[in-house]
Amino acid sequence: MGRRRLVGGVLSRVIVLLVVLLAGRVLWVGGAAPAWPQTVGSTKPEIGEQVAILVGAGDIAGCQNPQGALETAKLIEKIPGTVFALGDLAYDAVTLGQFQNCYGRSWGKFKARTRPALGNHEYRERSAAAYYQYWAGQAGPSGKGYYSYELGTWHVVVLNTNCEAAGLGGCASGSPQDTWLRQDLADHRGSCIVAYGHHALFSSGIFRSHAVHPELKRLWEDLYAAHADLVLAGHEHSYERFAPQDPEGRGDPQHGIREIVVGTGGRSHDPLGLAMRNSEKQNYDTYGVLKLTLAPQGYTWEFIPEEGKTFRDSGSGVCHNRAAQEARTSGRPN
């Protein structure tokens, strides 16, 4: 009799444990997993139906020397998902034929799954005609270059950071792009948000007039007010990750935007100067791509270097809007 009770008790505990584990699995698949902490070097999320991959870099193909772009293209070949291209895609390409011959030889093989942004080198021809001809509807409305799309449970915003480009109307408050951005973010209130464009608001590039672009502050203010999570940029041919911060450059772990500069697509390398406030990781001698894994509760980032290089960077962060929603539901302060 005693032995039967012992066996029965053990079986009961095993059944309860199995039920708990199964319930946890169902919650994760259904998108109800707990929010992730913001950490560096953390493990990747479990891949499920609601997880999406966004991978890419900026400053890609040197038409006279495409080797770096060919090396980073080898990395993307092994990674599924949507490709982001952060501008300056084909140096010295002014015509459509030149663009096809330069960019097309390397990252062009991913054209069907790429969502590009305009760089300053695309404007070597005043209207960026070759860029718009090559990408057609994939690059947003011709003459504007800013647009947005959905990726998994995330809202992705592509900015035209060439604020002085002819016909754009600038990036200041009340500009066409600012007006569009505020409306776009209002239409996607509560979403997890990643934005990208060519230039950075924050960078430790050695030539600050080239690296830092205060004209983007208004767009950052729009994103910050909407609780955006990430901003990606290029222009500086280096890698730099910042801690979450507000548009003034003040650290804000709870609500700040994490900026990652990843101008490492293969064109060349730029030196970095003294690290700016909130700069957490820097490298200026490695080509590579940034892989983002976007899940309902948060994201992970991973910098993957070209073959033969060892520099890496990885970590994770929460989705601000999802964390706020869960805090309201549970009654916890956010």
Side-chain angles (χ1 to χ4, degrees):
M1 190 69 162
R3 181 175 291 179
R4 265 190 217 155
R5 281 203 192 102
L6 178 60
V7 172
V10 171
L11 286 174
S12 297
R13 287 177 174 83
V14 170
I15 291 170
V16 169
L17 179 60
L18 288 172
V19 170
V20 169
L21 289 173
L22 182 58
R25 173 67 176 167
V26 170
L27 283 172
W28 164 246
V29 172
W36 303 344
Q38 298 198 20
T39 58
V40 175
S42 65
T43 57
K44 300 176 184 177
E46 185 175 346
I47 299 297
E49 290 181 1
Q50 294 180 306
V51 174
I53 303 297
L54 185 61
V55 60
D59 307 277
I60 297 167
C63 298
Q64 304 303 317
N65 182 14
Q67 189 56 42
L70 294 171
E71 290 299 317
T72 54
K74 291 177 185 177
L75 302 174
I76 294 182
E77 282 179 346
K78 303 173 185 177
I79 303 171
T82 300
V83 176
F84 65 86
L86 297 174
D88 283 6
L89 311 182
Y91 285 70
D92 306 318
V94 178
T95 67
L96 176 60
Q98 291 170 339
F99 199 99
Q100 290 170 328
N101 185 55
C102 186
Y103 181 85
R105 291 169 59 192
S106 53
W107 286 40
K109 65 186 71 175
F110 319 118
K111 181 179 179 180
R113 60 182 177 114
T114 298
R115 305 307 300 267
L118 278 155
N120 53 290
H121 278 265
E122 275 68 66
Y123 282 103
R124 287 196 64 200
E125 191 284 318
R126 190 168 182 269
S127 64
Y131 171 89
Y132 285 115
Q133 290 167 11
Y134 180 83
W135 293 108
Q138 286 175 246
S142 181
K144 294 182 179 180
Y146 50 85
Y147 60 98
S148 65
Y149 61 96
E150 309 307 305
L151 188 60
T153 59
W154 283 64
H155 184 60
V156 185
V157 177
V158 183
L159 300 172
N160 187 345
T161 61
N162 298 276
C163 300
E164 297 181 1
L168 182 64
C171 301
S173 177
S175 66
Q177 183 167 202
D178 170 56
T179 301
W180 168 84
L181 178 58
R182 284 187 285 112
Q183 185 60 56
D184 180 78
L185 294 171
D187 291 342
H188 296 86
R189 187 176 288 109
S191 297
C192 305
I193 300 166
V194 54
Y196 59 84
H198 183 61
H199 302 86
L201 179 58
F202 304 102
S203 169
S204 301
I206 193 167
F207 300 109
R208 292 302 164 95
S209 61
H210 180 272
V212 178
H213 291 267
E215 67 272 19
L216 300 176
K217 186 178 176 183
R218 174 61 185 183
L219 304 183
W220 260 70
E221 289 171 347
D222 295 338
L223 292 164
Y224 183 75
H227 309 298
D229 305 287
L230 283 164
V231 168
L232 312 178
H235 197 50
E236 286 295 309
H237 299 186
S238 53
Y239 178 86
E240 186 169 21
R241 171 173 52 80
F242 286 84
Q245 56 190 331
D246 68 13
E248 301 291 339
R250 296 177 296 228
D252 185 352
Q254 193 168 14
H255 301 293
I257 300 172
R258 183 185 301 283
E259 184 194 77
I260 302 179
V261 180
V262 56
T264 56
R267 169 60 173 83
S268 59
H269 299 299
D270 286 345
L272 290 168
L274 294 176
M276 290 185 73
R277 180 174 57 175
N278 300 317
S279 177
E280 294 185 319
K281 195 84 170 181
Q282 311 88 27
N283 178 273
Y284 55 86
D285 65 0
T286 305
Y287 297 137
V289 298
L290 181 69
K291 176 185 175 184
L292 298 177
T293 303
L294 307 174
Q297 289 75 33
Y299 62 92
T300 67
W301 73 85
E302 180 184 7
F303 179 80
I304 303 170
E306 62 182 310
E307 185 177 357
K309 293 289 186 132
T310 60
F311 172 77
R312 288 184 176 269
D313 184 40
S314 63
S316 67
V318 300
C319 166
H320 295 323
N321 283 322
R322 185 58 61 91
Q325 292 165 7
E326 292 181 352
R328 287 193 295 270
T329 301
S330 65
R332 292 183 285 105
N334 182 45

